[in-house]
Amino acid sequence: MIKQMGIIGCYSETEGFGKIKTDFGEEVLFYRTGILNGAELKTGLNVSFELHQTLSVAINIQVIDQSGITQK
């Protein structure tokens, strides 16, 4: 799968899902189960992710800091 970049557009911890705005202007749905390393997500964070081809949802979501390095 190809890594894509985007920004968290919205996320509800209570409901367990949110949307990522991709670099191409599309919105991709994601679920809490797609977040790697238990990262805390909030609106405006830069993330990398893969698109699940069958379900068309973001998976393997990782927070990226401002210098482009993946946060652990």
Side-chain angles (χ1 to χ4, degrees):
M1 286 187 225
I2 299 172
K3 285 273 187 190
Q4 297 187 43
M5 304 297 285
I7 297 173
I8 300 296
C10 64
Y11 178 61
S12 171
E13 180 67 37
T14 307
E15 296 183 20
F17 69 91
K19 292 183 180 178
I20 297 172
K21 293 180 184 179
T22 71
D23 288 346
F24 302 109
E26 300 173 336
E27 287 191 337
V28 178
L29 184 67
F30 71 92
Y31 295 96
R32 180 184 358 230
T33 55
I35 303 168
L36 294 179
N37 303 323
E40 291 184 36
L41 299 183
K42 57 185 174 185
T43 302
L45 282 178
N46 292 314
V47 294
S48 69
F49 66 96
E50 296 173 352
L51 188 62
H52 189 286
Q53 295 301 316
T54 305
L55 302 175
S56 295
V57 297
I59 58 172
N60 299 331
I61 302 163
Q62 293 182 304
V63 177
I64 305 295
D65 70 10
Q66 296 303 327
S67 63
I69 306 299
T70 302
Q71 294 182 358
K72 296 180 182 179

